[in-house]
Amino acid sequence: MNKYKFLGAFLHFIYRMLSFMTRKEYFFADGVEMNEPNIIVFWHRKIFTVCNATRTIKKKASIVSASKDGEILAELLRREGNELIRGSSNKDNIKSLKEAMKYAKRKYKLGIAIDGPAGPIFKPKSGAIFIAKKTGMPIVPISSYCSKKWIFKNMWDKLEIPMPFSRCVHYVAKPFYLTRETSLEDSVKLVKEKIHEAGNKAFEIYNKKYRIINDEEMNGRCSRIERYIGILRSLAAHPIEMYCKKFI
């Protein structure tokens, strides 16, 4: 085992440990079939959390950079049950696109970090769009929101890794199609919007479940606080009398 595969194996161990120590919830839009052939797209910064959301998929293949650094991620994905397509998600990388098309014909689900492998951040590459138009496969955006996370600000993608005991909400958005008549510019814009919408939806679900307190609950809390304040004021005003009454 070379050092890159060793690092990938170690990273996979860390990933599984962190995954075990986080509380995960999965939400799916209408029409989502996780084991049907389609193209899963996500931002490169969310790659750790997307691995969790796609763990139950049986036939899956992922495009991974052919660089030495890509070997580390490739080892992690391989251990998560992914077939590997080495190359870029850019349309100009003919070899990886041809291989991806072969997997698509074999009814695999394709996973693509659409702004990878080297950015710029949040700028979709054209590879996934090219495959979707050629095969007619639907595109499924995935994103997540974690309550606590490490953000590697010095990396081009601002990679996010969930902290232990954080709560992670994963959202799988509704599949959509790209027609051959749609221009590349419009396709890129639509894909970008859909992935951002999935991220906003994940945050919205988390916010609604765990942060927002409705009026009835807030009124109940205020009433309890007012009672406690009244008791404390009474104790402060008549501390000896209150203490004596307790034993009379």
Side-chain angles (χ1 to χ4, degrees):
M1 179 183 291
N2 64 40
K3 67 176 182 179
Y4 296 102
K5 286 190 175 182
F6 173 79
L7 288 171
F10 178 72
L11 183 64
H12 181 255
F13 171 77
I14 298 297
Y15 160 75
R16 292 303 294 267
M17 288 294 292
L18 289 173
S19 178
F20 177 75
M21 290 189 289
T22 55
R23 291 165 289 181
K24 298 174 288 294
E25 294 180 85
Y26 303 94
F27 297 87
F28 303 88
D30 294 337
V32 174
E33 294 290 340
M34 289 302 287
N35 279 295
E36 289 295 316
N38 53 44
I39 304 167
I40 293 174
V41 294
F42 52 94
W43 299 130
H44 200 276
R45 70 183 304 183
K46 300 285 187 180
I47 199 163
F48 259 67
T49 50
V50 169
C51 280
N52 275 315
T54 59
R55 182 172 289 174
T56 59
I57 298 173
K58 296 174 182 177
K59 293 176 68 176
K60 53 189 176 184
S62 297
I63 296 180
V64 186
S65 170
S67 68
K68 290 181 179 179
D69 289 341
E71 189 69 32
I72 300 172
L73 179 59
E75 183 63 20
L76 185 153
L77 293 173
R78 185 185 68 79
R79 289 169 179 261
E80 284 296 300
N82 287 265
E83 296 291 332
L84 302 175
I85 303 168
R86 303 305 301 273
S88 167
S89 58
N90 198 304
K91 183 182 175 182
D92 296 332
N93 196 317
I94 303 300
K95 183 181 177 182
S96 61
L97 289 181
K98 283 184 176 180
E99 194 171 351
M101 296 284 284
K102 289 178 182 178
Y103 277 106
K105 290 178 181 178
R106 291 162 57 190
K107 307 298 182 184
Y108 271 73
K109 207 175 193 76
L110 302 178
I112 301 175
I114 201 163
D115 55 345
I121 189 171
F122 303 146
K123 185 175 180 180
K125 300 292 195 306
S126 56
I129 293 167
F130 175 80
I131 296 169
K133 288 185 176 184
K134 281 286 186 181
T135 62
M137 292 171 70
I139 294 177
V140 179
I142 295 184
S143 195
S144 61
Y145 176 79
C146 294
S147 58
K148 297 178 182 179
K149 51 189 171 285
W150 290 294
I151 300 177
F152 292 78
K153 295 182 179 179
N154 291 330
M155 296 179 66
W156 71 264
D157 60 350
K158 307 296 186 287
L159 179 67
E160 295 180 4
I161 296 181
M163 290 183 179
F165 313 113
S166 61
R167 189 181 296 276
C168 296
V169 170
H170 305 277
Y171 185 73
V172 183
K174 187 176 181 179
F176 67 96
Y177 293 85
L178 294 175
T179 64
R180 296 191 179 190
E181 291 75 26
T182 309
S183 69
L184 177 61
E185 183 180 353
D186 289 342
S187 298
V188 167
K189 184 179 178 181
L190 179 61
V191 171
K192 183 176 181 177
E193 287 175 355
K194 294 291 186 181
I195 301 175
H196 279 317
E197 284 175 9
N200 292 336
K201 185 66 176 179
F203 175 74
E204 180 185 317
I205 292 170
Y206 173 84
N207 208 34
K208 188 174 182 180
K209 289 193 69 174
Y210 301 110
R211 284 190 176 177
I212 294 177
I213 302 171
N214 59 39
D215 292 339
E216 184 178 344
E217 188 177 352
M218 179 61 77
N219 290 335
R221 290 188 181 186
C222 289
S223 297
R224 288 195 296 272
I225 291 170
E226 287 173 358
R227 286 201 302 271
Y228 295 149
I229 290 173
I231 293 170
L232 290 172
R233 282 176 176 171
S234 298
L235 286 170
H238 309 286
I240 297 175
E241 292 178 15
M242 293 289 291
Y243 182 79
C244 292
K245 284 180 181 179
K246 187 175 179 181
F247 296 97
I248 294 175

